[in-house]
Amino acid sequence: MFETITIDVDARGVATLTLNRPEKHNAMSGQMLVDLKAAAEQLGADETVRVVILTGAGKSFCAGGDLGWMQQQREMAPDVRGKEARKLAEMLQALNTLPKPLIGRVQGNAFGGGVGMASVCDVTIGADTVTMGLTETRLGLIPATIGPYVVSRMGEAMARRVFMSARLFKADEAVTLGLLAKAVPAADLDAAVEAEVVPYLNCAPGAVASAKALTRTLGMPIDDAVIDHTIDALVSRWEGEEAEEGISAFFEKRKASWMV
């Protein structure tokens, strides 16, 4: 049914949603955004599903935006770029509002949009070997559509430490930042995720869904106005000279003009 992801549901109703482009380090393509949004809607409507685990196949959790997708966006008109940005925003919001517990299993590196997906999970457990980073500003872009979820997860003060610098950080720092709940040896990752799953199987599913919805009303609001603002901010950056220079330098395998 899906081109870029897989879904497996066990007898308990625990669904594992896997990003399945290992040869591309699970980088997000336009098709993956469509698949993930549809998967979130499908799992949310399935009364037999109690918990969802989000993970990646292969060495990486998610390397951010797919290079081919980025090249296509360079040639797009601003309104079309906006539509592509909205695909990402709608996918993240679909996962964020999933009426089931969403547990992130970060088995490999996560950059850019991958950090965004880790941030929409209710709890995220990572292998202690992973590297993460919000790398957009190296390209002259900004972590816009993922921004509300990243800041909501980390808090503004913690987010400021890594949101603008594109600095890479290890799993232990991701725990300090609040992005990961804990980091464990890779061999212990499944057991740590399972420990998060089991308590939900003893809870009333409807009450869990209602409690999750309530937390969103009590925390930082991520509504249509916020989402529209992030899309506009990203499209504006795409139109600037820095984005043109940064993305050109990336594909030409050279340093951008501002790099030392």
Side-chain angles (χ1 to χ4, degrees):
M1 177 179 178
F2 298 111
E3 294 181 26
T4 65
I5 63 174
T6 62
I7 299 175
D8 296 293
V9 184
D10 70 16
R12 303 173 298 170
V14 178
T16 300
L17 172 57
T18 304
L19 310 180
N20 194 33
R21 302 182 76 215
E23 74 287 354
K24 299 289 188 180
H25 295 276
N26 297 319
M28 294 183 299
S29 63
Q31 185 60 49
M32 180 179 278
L33 302 182
V34 172
D35 286 350
L36 281 168
K37 181 185 177 185
E41 293 170 348
Q42 175 182 312
L43 293 168
D46 189 340
E47 294 183 357
T48 68
V49 172
R50 302 283 301 277
V51 183
V52 179
I53 299 168
L54 177 63
T55 191
K59 295 181 178 180
S60 299
F61 176 69
C62 177
D66 178 79
L67 298 182
W69 185 48
M70 288 180 61
Q71 284 182 313
Q72 291 172 5
Q73 290 189 72
R74 293 180 70 189
E75 308 302 324
M76 293 176 180
D79 62 326
V80 181
R81 284 191 187 128
K83 290 178 182 178
E84 290 299 298
R86 188 168 295 281
K87 285 183 185 179
L88 175 55
E90 289 180 349
M91 178 274 286
L92 290 167
Q93 187 69 322
L95 289 173
N96 188 55
T97 59
L98 182 73
K100 312 289 172 75
L102 181 61
I103 299 173
R105 177 186 179 275
V106 179
Q107 88 295 348
N109 295 347
F111 304 117
V115 175
M117 279 197 283
S119 297
V120 299
C121 296
D122 299 304
V123 59
T124 305
I125 311 297
D128 60 8
T129 53
V130 305
T131 298
M132 308 179 81
L134 295 154
T135 53
E136 289 87 347
T137 53
R138 288 184 185 173
L139 301 176
L141 299 172
I142 56 175
T145 47
I146 67 172
Y149 309 100
V150 173
V151 175
S152 179
R153 170 56 57 87
M154 294 188 191
E156 182 184 348
M158 287 294 188
R160 284 190 176 200
R161 293 169 58 175
V162 294
F163 199 78
M164 302 88 76
S165 67
R167 178 173 63 80
L168 303 184
F169 49 91
K170 297 295 186 179
D172 57 348
E173 186 173 3
V175 173
T176 300
L177 292 168
L179 185 58
L180 296 180
K182 63 177 68 173
V184 300
D188 299 333
L189 184 57
D190 287 336
V193 170
E194 179 67 8
E196 299 293 337
V197 168
V198 169
Y200 286 113
L201 303 180
N202 294 311
C203 296
V208 170
S210 294
K212 180 172 178 175
L214 179 61
T215 63
R216 294 199 310 275
T217 68
L218 299 175
M220 173 178 147
I222 304 176
D223 54 19
D224 289 346
V226 170
I227 290 170
D228 288 346
H229 176 61
T230 65
I231 291 170
D232 290 344
L234 181 58
V235 171
S236 178
R237 288 303 312 175
W238 268 102
E239 293 302 298
E241 293 180 1
E242 286 185 344
E244 177 61 30
E245 165 64 7
I247 294 169
S248 295
F250 179 80
F251 285 115
E252 293 167 10
K253 301 185 186 305
R254 60 174 176 83
K255 289 184 176 181
S257 60
W258 52 77
M259 291 184 177
V260 297

